[in-house]
Coordinates of all heavy atoms in Angstrom, one line a residue:
M20 N 108.9 54.0 99.5 CA 108.4 55.3 99.1 C 106.9 55.2 98.9 O 106.1 56.1 99.3 CB 109.1 55.7 97.8 CG 108.9 57.1 97.4 SD 109.7 58.1 98.5 CE 109.8 59.6 97.6
F21 N 106.4 54.1 98.3 CA 105.0 53.9 98.1 C 104.2 53.9 99.5 O 103.2 54.5 99.6 CB 104.7 52.6 97.3 CG 103.2 52.3 97.2 CD1 102.4 53.0 96.4 CD2 102.7 51.3 98.1 CE1 101.1 52.7 96.3 CE2 101.3 51.0 98.0 CZ 100.5 51.7 97.1
A22 N 104.8 53.2 100.4 CA 104.1 53.1 101.8 C 104.0 54.5 102.4 O 103.0 54.8 103.0 CB 104.9 52.1 102.7
L23 N 105.1 55.3 102.3 CA 105.1 56.6 102.9 C 104.1 57.5 102.2 O 103.3 58.2 102.8 CB 106.5 57.2 102.8 CG 106.6 58.6 103.4 CD1 106.3 58.6 104.8 CD2 108.1 59.1 103.2
D24 N 104.0 57.4 100.9 CA 103.1 58.2 100.1 C 101.6 57.8 100.4 O 100.8 58.6 100.5 CB 103.4 58.0 98.6 CG 102.6 59.0 97.7 OD1 102.5 60.2 98.1 OD2 102.0 58.6 96.7
S25 N 101.4 56.5 100.6 CA 100.1 56.0 100.9 C 99.6 56.6 102.3 O 98.5 57.0 102.5 CB 100.0 54.5 100.9 OG 100.3 54.0 99.7
Q26 N 100.6 56.6 103.2 CA 100.2 57.1 104.6 C 99.9 58.6 104.5 O 99.0 59.1 105.2 CB 101.4 56.8 105.5 CG 101.5 55.4 105.9 CD 102.7 55.2 106.9 OE1 103.5 56.0 107.0 NE2 102.7 54.0 107.5
L27 N 100.7 59.3 103.7 CA 100.4 60.8 103.6 C 99.1 61.1 102.9 O 98.4 62.0 103.4 CB 101.6 61.4 102.8 CG 102.9 61.5 103.4 CD1 104.0 62.0 102.5 CD2 102.9 62.3 104.7
V28 N 98.7 60.3 101.9 CA 97.4 60.4 101.3 C 96.3 60.2 102.3 O 95.3 60.9 102.4 CB 97.3 59.5 100.1 CG1 95.8 59.5 99.6 CG2 98.2 60.0 99.0
W29 N 96.5 59.1 103.1 CA 95.5 58.8 104.1 C 95.3 59.9 105.2 O 94.2 60.3 105.5 CB 95.9 57.5 104.8 CG 94.9 57.0 105.8 CD1 93.7 56.3 105.6 CD2 94.9 57.2 107.2 NE1 93.0 56.1 106.7 CE2 93.7 56.6 107.8 CE3 95.8 57.9 108.1 CZ2 93.4 56.7 109.1 CZ3 95.5 57.9 109.4 CH2 94.3 57.3 109.9
F30 N 96.5 60.4 105.6 CA 96.4 61.5 106.6 C 95.8 62.8 106.0 O 95.0 63.5 106.7 CB 97.9 61.9 107.1 CG 98.4 61.0 108.1 CD1 99.7 60.4 107.9 CD2 97.7 60.7 109.3 CE1 100.2 59.5 108.9 CE2 98.2 59.8 110.2 CZ 99.5 59.2 110.0
E31 N 96.0 63.0 104.7 CA 95.4 64.2 104.1 C 93.9 64.0 104.1 O 93.1 64.9 104.3 CB 96.0 64.3 102.7 CG 95.4 65.6 102.0 CD 96.1 65.7 100.6 OE1 97.3 65.6 100.5 OE2 95.3 66.0 99.6
K32 N 93.4 62.8 103.7 CA 92.0 62.6 103.7 C 91.4 62.7 105.1 O 90.3 63.3 105.2 CB 91.7 61.2 103.1 CG 91.9 61.1 101.6 CD 91.6 59.6 101.1 CE 91.9 59.5 99.7 NZ 91.7 58.2 99.1
Q33 N 92.1 62.2 106.1 CA 91.6 62.3 107.4 C 91.5 63.8 107.9 O 90.5 64.2 108.5 CB 92.4 61.6 108.4 CG 92.4 60.1 108.2 CD 90.9 59.5 108.5 OE1 90.3 59.9 109.4 NE2 90.5 58.8 107.5
N34 N 92.5 64.6 107.5 CA 92.5 66.0 107.9 C 91.4 66.7 107.1 O 90.7 67.6 107.7 CB 93.8 66.6 107.5 CG 94.9 66.3 108.5 OD1 94.6 65.9 109.7 ND2 96.1 66.3 108.1
L35 N 91.1 66.4 105.9 CA 90.0 67.0 105.1 C 88.7 66.7 105.8 O 87.8 67.5 105.9 CB 90.0 66.6 103.7 CG 91.2 67.3 102.8 CD1 91.2 66.7 101.4 CD2 91.0 68.8 102.8
L36 N 88.5 65.4 106.2 CA 87.3 65.0 106.8 C 87.1 65.7 108.1 O 86.0 66.2 108.4 CB 87.4 63.5 107.1 CG 86.1 62.9 107.8 CD1 84.9 63.0 106.9 CD2 86.4 61.4 108.1
K37 N 88.1 65.9 108.9 CA 88.0 66.6 110.2 C 87.7 68.1 109.9 O 86.9 68.7 110.6 CB 89.3 66.5 111.0 CG 89.5 65.1 111.6 CD 90.8 65.1 112.4 CE 91.0 63.7 112.9 NZ 92.3 63.5 113.6
L38 N 88.3 68.7 108.9 CA 88.0 70.0 108.5 C 86.6 70.2 108.1 O 85.9 71.2 108.5 CB 88.9 70.5 107.4 CG 88.7 71.9 106.8 CD1 88.9 73.0 107.9 CD2 89.5 72.2 105.6
G39 N 86.1 69.3 107.3 CA 84.6 69.3 107.0 C 83.7 69.2 108.1 O 82.7 70.0 108.2
Q40 N 84.0 68.4 109.1 CA 83.2 68.2 110.3 C 83.3 69.5 111.1 O 82.2 70.0 111.7 CB 83.7 67.0 111.1 CG 83.4 65.7 110.5 CD 84.2 64.5 111.1 OE1 85.1 64.7 111.9 NE2 83.8 63.3 110.8
W41 N 84.4 70.1 111.2 CA 84.6 71.4 112.0 C 83.8 72.5 111.3 O 83.1 73.2 112.0 CB 86.1 71.7 112.0 CG 86.3 73.0 112.7 CD1 86.4 73.3 114.0 CD2 86.5 74.3 112.1 NE1 86.7 74.6 114.3 CE2 86.8 75.3 113.1 CE3 86.6 74.7 110.8 CZ2 87.0 76.6 112.8 CZ3 86.8 76.1 110.5 CH2 87.0 77.0 111.5
M42 N 83.9 72.6 110.0 CA 83.1 73.6 109.3 C 81.6 73.4 109.4 O 80.9 74.4 109.6 CB 83.5 73.6 107.8 CG 84.9 74.1 107.5 SD 85.4 74.0 105.8 CE 84.3 75.2 105.1
K43 N 81.2 72.2 109.4 CA 79.7 71.9 109.6 C 79.3 72.3 111.0 O 78.2 72.9 111.1 CB 79.5 70.4 109.4 CG 78.0 70.0 109.6 CD 77.8 68.5 109.4 CE 76.3 68.2 109.6 NZ 76.0 66.8 109.6
R44 N 80.1 72.0 112.0 CA 79.7 72.5 113.4 C 79.7 74.0 113.5 O 78.7 74.5 114.1 CB 80.8 71.9 114.4 CG 80.6 70.5 114.8 CD 81.4 70.1 116.0 NE 82.8 70.7 116.0 CZ 83.9 70.1 115.6 NH1 83.8 68.9 115.0 NH2 85.0 70.6 115.7
K45 N 80.7 74.7 112.9 CA 80.7 76.1 112.9 C 79.5 76.7 112.2 O 78.9 77.7 112.6 CB 82.0 76.7 112.3 CG 83.2 76.3 113.1 CD 83.1 77.0 114.5 CE 84.4 76.8 115.3 NZ 84.3 77.4 116.6
W46 N 79.1 76.2 111.0 CA 78.0 76.6 110.2 C 76.7 76.5 111.0 O 75.9 77.4 111.1 CB 78.0 75.9 108.9 CG 76.9 76.4 108.0 CD1 75.7 75.8 107.7 CD2 76.8 77.6 107.2 NE1 74.9 76.5 106.9 CE2 75.6 77.6 106.6 CE3 77.7 78.7 107.1 CZ2 75.2 78.7 105.8 CZ3 77.3 79.7 106.3 CH2 76.1 79.7 105.6
T47 N 76.5 75.3 111.6 CA 75.3 75.0 112.3 C 75.2 75.9 113.5 O 74.1 76.5 113.8 CB 75.3 73.5 112.8 OG1 75.4 72.7 111.6 CG2 74.0 73.2 113.5
S48 N 76.3 76.2 114.2 CA 76.3 77.1 115.3 C 76.0 78.5 114.9 O 75.2 79.2 115.6 CB 77.7 77.0 116.0 OG 77.8 78.0 117.1
A49 N 76.5 78.9 113.8 CA 76.2 80.3 113.3 C 74.7 80.4 113.0 O 74.1 81.5 113.3 CB 77.1 80.6 112.1
L50 N 74.2 79.4 112.3 CA 72.7 79.5 112.0 C 71.9 79.5 113.2 O 70.9 80.2 113.3 CB 72.4 78.3 111.1 CG 72.9 78.3 109.7 CD1 72.5 77.1 108.9 CD2 72.4 79.6 108.9
D51 N 72.3 78.7 114.3 CA 71.5 78.7 115.5 C 71.6 80.1 116.2 O 70.6 80.6 116.7 CB 72.1 77.6 116.5 CG 71.7 76.2 116.0 OD1 70.9 76.0 115.1 OD2 72.4 75.3 116.5
R52 N 72.8 80.7 116.2 CA 72.9 82.0 116.8 C 72.1 83.1 116.1 O 71.5 83.9 116.7 CB 74.4 82.4 116.9 CG 75.1 81.6 117.9 CD 76.5 82.2 118.2 NE 77.3 82.6 117.0 CZ 78.1 81.8 116.4 NH1 78.3 80.5 116.8 NH2 78.8 82.2 115.3
K53 N 72.1 83.0 114.7 CA 71.3 83.9 113.9 C 69.8 83.8 114.2 O 69.1 84.8 114.4 CB 71.6 83.7 112.5 CG 70.8 84.6 111.6 CD 71.0 84.4 110.1 CE 70.1 85.3 109.3 NZ 70.2 84.9 107.9
T54 N 69.3 82.5 114.3 CA 67.9 82.3 114.6 C 67.5 82.8 115.9 O 66.5 83.5 116.1 CB 67.6 80.8 114.5 OG1 68.0 80.3 113.2 CG2 66.2 80.5 114.7
D55 N 68.4 82.6 116.9 CA 68.2 83.1 118.3 C 68.1 84.6 118.3 O 67.3 85.2 118.9 CB 69.2 82.6 119.2 CG 69.0 83.0 120.6 OD1 67.8 82.8 121.1 OD2 69.9 83.5 121.3
A56 N 69.1 85.3 117.6 CA 69.1 86.7 117.5 C 67.9 87.3 116.9 O 67.3 88.3 117.4 CB 70.4 87.2 116.8
V57 N 67.5 86.7 115.8 CA 66.2 87.2 115.1 C 65.0 87.1 116.0 O 64.2 88.0 116.1 CB 66.0 86.5 113.8 CG1 64.7 86.8 113.2 CG2 67.1 86.8 112.8
L58 N 64.9 86.0 116.7 CA 63.8 85.7 117.6 C 63.8 86.8 118.8 O 62.8 87.4 119.1 CB 63.9 84.3 118.2 CG 62.8 83.9 119.2 CD1 61.4 84.0 118.4 CD2 63.0 82.6 119.7
R59 N 65.0 87.0 119.3 CA 65.1 88.0 120.4 C 64.8 89.4 119.9 O 64.1 90.2 120.6 CB 66.5 88.0 121.0 CG 66.8 86.8 121.8 CD 68.2 86.8 122.3 NE 68.6 85.6 123.0 CZ 68.9 85.7 124.3 NH1 69.0 86.8 125.0 NH2 69.2 84.6 124.9
L60 N 65.2 89.8 118.7 CA 64.8 91.1 118.1 C 63.3 91.2 118.0 O 62.7 92.2 118.3 CB 65.5 91.3 116.8 CG 67.0 91.7 116.8 CD1 67.6 91.7 115.4 CD2 67.2 93.0 117.5
Q61 N 62.7 90.1 117.5 CA 61.2 90.2 117.3 C 60.5 90.3 118.7 O 59.5 91.0 118.8 CB 60.8 88.9 116.6 CG 61.2 88.9 115.1 CD 60.9 87.6 114.5 OE1 60.6 86.6 115.1 NE2 61.0 87.6 113.1
Q62 N 61.0 89.6 119.7 CA 60.4 89.6 121.0 C 60.6 90.9 121.7 O 59.8 91.3 122.6 CB 60.9 88.5 121.9 CG 60.5 87.1 121.4 CD 61.1 86.0 122.2 OE1 62.1 86.2 122.9 NE2 60.6 84.8 122.1
S63 N 61.6 91.7 121.4 CA 61.9 92.9 122.0 C 60.9 94.0 121.7 O 60.7 95.0 122.4 CB 63.3 93.4 121.7 OG 63.4 93.9 120.4
R64 N 60.3 93.9 120.5 CA 59.4 94.9 120.0 C 59.9 96.3 119.9 O 59.2 97.2 119.9 CB 58.1 94.8 120.8 CG 57.4 93.5 120.8 CD 56.1 93.5 121.5 NE 55.6 92.1 121.6 CZ 54.4 91.8 121.5 NH1 53.5 92.7 121.3 NH2 54.0 90.5 121.6
V65 N 61.2 96.4 119.8 CA 61.9 97.7 119.5 C 62.0 97.8 118.0 O 62.5 96.9 117.4 CB 63.2 97.8 120.2 CG1 63.9 99.1 119.9 CG2 63.1 97.6 121.7
P66 N 61.6 98.9 117.4 CA 61.7 99.1 116.0 C 63.2 98.9 115.5 O 64.1 99.4 116.2 CB 61.2 100.5 115.7 CG 60.4 100.8 116.9 CD 61.0 100.1 118.1
L67 N 63.4 98.3 114.4 CA 64.8 98.0 113.9 C 65.5 99.4 113.6 O 66.7 99.5 113.8 CB 64.7 97.2 112.6 CG 64.4 95.7 112.9 CD1 64.4 95.0 111.5 CD2 65.4 95.1 113.8
A68 N 64.7 100.4 113.2 CA 65.4 101.7 112.9 C 66.0 102.2 114.2 O 67.1 102.8 114.1 CB 64.3 102.6 112.4
T69 N 65.3 102.1 115.3 CA 65.9 102.6 116.6 C 67.1 101.8 117.0 O 68.1 102.4 117.4 CB 64.8 102.4 117.7 OG1 63.6 103.1 117.3 CG2 65.3 102.9 119.0
L70 N 67.1 100.5 116.8 CA 68.3 99.7 117.1 C 69.4 100.0 116.2 O 70.6 100.1 116.7 CB 67.9 98.2 117.0 CG 66.9 97.7 118.0 CD1 66.5 96.2 117.7 CD2 67.4 97.8 119.4
E71 N 69.2 100.2 115.0 CA 70.2 100.6 114.0 C 70.9 101.9 114.4 O 72.1 102.1 114.3 CB 69.7 100.6 112.6 CG 69.4 99.2 112.0 CD 68.7 99.3 110.7 OE1 68.4 100.4 110.2 OE2 68.5 98.2 110.1
R72 N 70.0 102.9 114.7 CA 70.5 104.2 115.1 C 71.4 104.1 116.4 O 72.5 104.7 116.4 CB 69.3 105.1 115.3 CG 69.7 106.6 115.5 CD 68.4 107.5 115.5 NE 67.4 107.1 116.4 CZ 66.2 106.5 115.9 NH1 65.9 106.4 114.7 NH2 65.3 106.2 116.8
E73 N 70.9 103.3 117.4 CA 71.7 103.2 118.6 C 73.0 102.4 118.3 O 74.0 102.8 118.9 CB 70.9 102.4 119.6 CG 69.7 103.3 120.2 CD 68.9 102.5 121.2 OE1 69.3 101.3 121.6 OE2 67.9 103.1 121.7
W74 N 73.0 101.5 117.4 CA 74.2 100.7 117.1 C 75.2 101.6 116.4 O 76.4 101.6 116.8 CB 73.8 99.6 116.2 CG 75.0 98.7 115.7 CD1 75.6 98.7 114.5 CD2 75.7 97.8 116.5 NE1 76.6 97.8 114.5 CE2 76.7 97.2 115.7 CE3 75.6 97.3 117.8 CZ2 77.6 96.3 116.1 CZ3 76.5 96.3 118.2 CH2 77.5 95.8 117.4
K75 N 74.8 102.4 115.5 CA 75.7 103.4 114.8 C 76.3 104.4 115.8 O 77.5 104.7 115.8 CB 75.0 104.1 113.7 CG 74.7 103.2 112.5 CD 74.0 103.9 111.4 CE 73.7 103.0 110.2 NZ 72.9 103.6 109.2
A76 N 75.4 104.9 116.7 CA 75.9 105.8 117.7 C 77.0 105.2 118.7 O 78.0 105.8 119.0 CB 74.7 106.3 118.6
Q77 N 76.7 103.9 119.0 CA 77.7 103.2 119.9 C 79.0 103.0 119.1 O 80.1 103.2 119.7 CB 77.1 101.8 120.3 CG 78.1 101.1 121.1 CD 77.5 99.7 121.6 OE1 76.4 99.4 121.2 NE2 78.3 98.9 122.3
I78 N 79.0 102.7 117.9 CA 80.2 102.5 117.1 C 81.0 103.8 117.0 O 82.2 103.8 117.2 CB 79.9 101.9 115.7 CG1 79.4 100.5 115.8 CG2 81.1 102.0 114.8 CD1 78.9 99.9 114.5
E79 N 80.3 104.9 116.7 CA 80.9 106.2 116.6 C 81.6 106.6 117.9 O 82.7 107.1 117.9 CB 79.9 107.2 116.1 CG 79.5 107.1 114.7 CD 78.4 108.1 114.3 OE1 78.1 109.0 115.1 OE2 77.9 108.0 113.2
A80 N 80.9 106.3 119.0 CA 81.4 106.6 120.3 C 82.7 105.8 120.6 O 83.6 106.3 121.2 CB 80.3 106.4 121.4
Q81 N 82.7 104.6 120.3 CA 83.8 103.7 120.6 C 85.0 104.0 119.6 O 86.1 103.8 120.1 CB 83.4 102.2 120.4 CG 82.5 101.8 121.6 CD 82.1 100.3 121.4 OE1 82.3 99.7 120.4 NE2 81.4 99.8 122.4
L82 N 84.7 104.5 118.4 CA 85.8 104.7 117.5 C 86.3 106.2 117.6 O 87.3 106.5 117.0 CB 85.4 104.4 116.1 CG 85.1 103.0 115.8 CD1 84.6 102.8 114.3 CD2 86.3 102.1 116.0
A83 N 85.6 107.0 118.3 CA 86.1 108.4 118.4 C 87.4 108.5 119.2 O 87.7 107.7 120.1 CB 85.0 109.2 119.2
S84 N 88.3 109.3 118.7 CA 89.6 109.5 119.4 C 89.4 110.2 120.7 O 88.6 111.1 120.8 CB 90.5 110.4 118.5 OG 90.7 109.7 117.3
S85 N 90.0 109.6 121.7 CA 89.9 110.3 123.0 C 91.0 111.4 123.1 O 92.1 111.3 122.6 CB 90.2 109.2 124.1 OG 91.5 108.7 123.9
P86 N 90.6 112.5 123.7 CA 91.5 113.6 123.8 C 92.7 113.2 124.7 O 92.5 112.6 125.8 CB 90.7 114.7 124.5 CG 89.5 114.1 125.1 CD 89.3 112.8 124.3
R87 N 93.9 113.5 124.2 CA 95.1 113.2 125.0 C 95.4 114.3 126.0 O 95.3 115.4 125.7 CB 96.3 113.0 124.1 CG 96.0 111.8 123.2 CD 97.2 111.4 122.4 NE 96.9 110.3 121.5 CZ 97.7 109.4 121.2 NH1 98.9 109.4 121.6 NH2 97.3 108.4 120.4
S88 N 95.8 113.8 127.2 CA 96.1 114.8 128.2 C 97.5 115.4 128.0 O 98.4 114.8 127.6 CB 96.1 114.1 129.6 OG 94.9 113.5 129.8

């Protein structure tokens, strides 16, 4: 029983380690994408108010119910 319990504890630690590594990769990737997006927005020189207005209009258009035939 002790040997089995010891193996389960070891597997649990390994899984937590892998989960931590996965979360670190995802976090780093998200930060890189955010940095890239902010840089692209700055380079576009389009006012943020204009982009926000267009974004809201796109969402409304996509969520609008289509008339049924």
Side-chain angles (χ1 to χ4, degrees):
M20 194 68 161
F21 173 77
L23 182 58
D24 191 41
S25 297
Q26 287 179 346
L27 290 174
V28 168
W29 184 82
F30 282 127
E31 183 177 314
K32 287 180 183 178
Q33 291 300 310
N34 285 337
L35 287 175
L36 179 63
K37 288 179 183 178
L38 176 63
Q40 292 168 344
W41 178 82
M42 289 176 68
K43 182 181 177 185
R44 283 194 316 269
K45 292 295 181 180
W46 182 256
T47 303
S48 176
L50 289 178
D51 290 345
R52 289 191 313 268
K53 179 183 176 187
T54 302
D55 184 51
V57 169
L58 182 63
R59 287 174 183 246
L60 282 173
Q61 291 171 349
Q62 290 175 345
S63 73
R64 297 182 188 222
V65 176
L67 287 180
T69 302
L70 294 173
E71 289 174 354
R72 192 170 48 252
E73 289 179 3
W74 179 255
K75 288 178 183 177
Q77 180 179 357
I78 290 173
E79 288 176 11
Q81 289 177 349
L82 294 179
S84 299
S85 60
R87 296 190 180 212
S88 306

